[in-house]
Amino acid sequence: MKGGGLRRLTFMFLVAFLVWSSSIETCIARKSKHWRQRRHAASVSLYKKKTKDHSHGHHNYHNGGTKTKPPPYKTTPPSPKVKAPPSPQPKVKVPSIPPPQKGYGNGQQSKVFDVLHFGAKGDGKTDDTKAFQAAWAAACKVQASTVVVPAKFIFLVGPISFSGPYCQANIVFQLDGTILAPTDSKPWGKGILQWLEFTKLKGITVQGKGIIDGRGSGWWLDAPYEDPYDDERKLIIPLNNTVQERPPMPVRNELSGKMPSIKPTALRFYGSFNVTVTGITIQNSPQCHLKFDNCIGVVVHDMSVSSPGDSPNTDGIHLQNSKDVLIHGTTLACGNLFQYLASK
């Protein structure tokens, strides 16, 4: 009796357990089904949303649309810079450009100075003295420079001194034209001892094929025998024991009585070293044609001196207080050919 009751109780307990287990499985199955349905619905919703967004973006792309950009930050524009007025610059004086001269080029300083480029006319009538002075002043500053007196021109030049002692060395005076002395008494004042003078120079050369014409006939008639440093009249030896105090002179000139009593030397060098004169012709000097005074190292060659044979005291070459002098190949045809005073 007891054993049967126990079996029945056990069976009932097993049936209850099975019923309880099946109810739990059914509950779990229902809950799982609802979870899967909700998950599926959420997935479908998310997929539709993505598809909608994609199609909308694709549509905007084909219609030329662009992705919206965030609005730029608003910034205040920079204030414009106020430029200060430019400070006035000092005016620079531009030196006047001299006319073109031979020797310019490659940035080098000219060494050739043509008197025509300094205003000389060369017509034989216009006074070109200032042009010669300007050309010399420029050449004086340049070592081994050349002053050019060009051929085929006639230059009227008054008394002038091409002087140092601050000139550079080895200057060449290239004389190929003609230089005339003035026949008017005004440029000579009360009397001048030299017409063209080179003084206190080192290494001066006068060369070329040109002519220095002193036009001395007006001077010769006025004072035929008055020489400030040479009483030539005492050296005249009469042929018939008679001496005329003032013999007649064949030279005549319309300027008689107008020129000063002191007659100038045509070309004089004073106090200079290494002097060379070559090639030129000196003619019709009022007194001496070529004079060297207190010079050292003189060379004269292949030049000519000429004046009428009856022209008074027109020494060809006059040497005074000079030394180391060499003269050769020179033609002298004038009143006195050569005079040598206290020279070595």
Side-chain angles (χ1 to χ4, degrees), residues 52-64:
K52 184 178 180 181
D53 293 339
H54 177 71
S55 62
H56 179 71
H58 186 70
H59 178 71
N60 288 342
Y61 174 79
H62 284 286
N63 289 329

Side-chain angles (χ1 to χ4, degrees), residues 27-39:
C27 183
I28 292 172
R30 289 178 179 177
K31 290 182 179 180
S32 176
K33 182 178 179 181
H34 288 297
W35 178 81
R36 283 196 299 269
Q37 287 177 354
R38 286 196 299 270
R39 182 179 180 185

Side-chain angles (χ1 to χ4, degrees), residues 199-236:
T199 177
K200 298 180 181 180
L201 300 170
K202 294 180 180 180
I204 176 66
T205 298
V206 177
Q207 64 181 24
K209 298 180 180 179
I211 299 172
I212 295 175
D213 190 348
R215 299 201 286 184
S217 59
W219 307 80
W220 301 333
L221 183 61
D222 289 342
Y225 291 113
E226 293 178 6
D227 190 327
Y229 58 81
D230 184 14
D231 190 3
E232 187 185 24
R233 187 167 61 88
K234 295 180 180 179
L235 302 178
I236 299 176

Side-chain angles (χ1 to χ4, degrees), residues 138-217:
C140 178
K141 301 174 184 178
V142 182
Q143 186 175 8
S145 59
T146 300
V147 176
V148 174
V149 182
K152 299 180 181 180
F153 290 91
I154 300 174
F155 302 93
L156 179 63
V157 178
I160 185 172
S161 178
F162 304 103
S163 59
Y166 302 109
C167 286
Q168 298 296 318
N170 302 323
I171 299 177
V172 175
F173 192 88
Q174 183 68 37
L175 174 59
D176 292 315
T178 299
I179 300 178
L180 295 181
T183 54
D184 182 7
S185 62
K186 185 177 180 180
W188 304 104
K190 294 182 180 180
I192 297 176
L193 293 176
Q194 52 275 331
W195 170 31
L196 307 176
E197 181 183 38
F198 292 85
T199 177
K200 298 180 181 180
L201 300 170
K202 294 180 180 180
I204 176 66
T205 298
V206 177
Q207 64 181 24
K209 298 180 180 179
I211 299 172
I212 295 175
D213 190 348
R215 299 201 286 184
S217 59

Side-chain angles (χ1 to χ4, degrees), residues 12-28:
M12 291 177 63
F13 180 81
L14 180 61
V15 171
F17 177 78
L18 291 174
V19 173
W20 179 76
S21 297
S22 63
S23 63
I24 291 175
E25 287 178 359
T26 302
C27 183
I28 292 172

Side-chain angles (χ1 to χ4, degrees), residues 258-281:
K258 295 183 180 180
M259 304 305 283
S261 59
I262 300 175
K263 296 178 289 184
T265 294
L267 178 59
R268 181 197 187 211
F269 294 86
Y270 174 78
S272 298
F273 299 88
N274 298 330
V275 180
T276 301
V277 179
T278 181
I280 67 172
T281 296

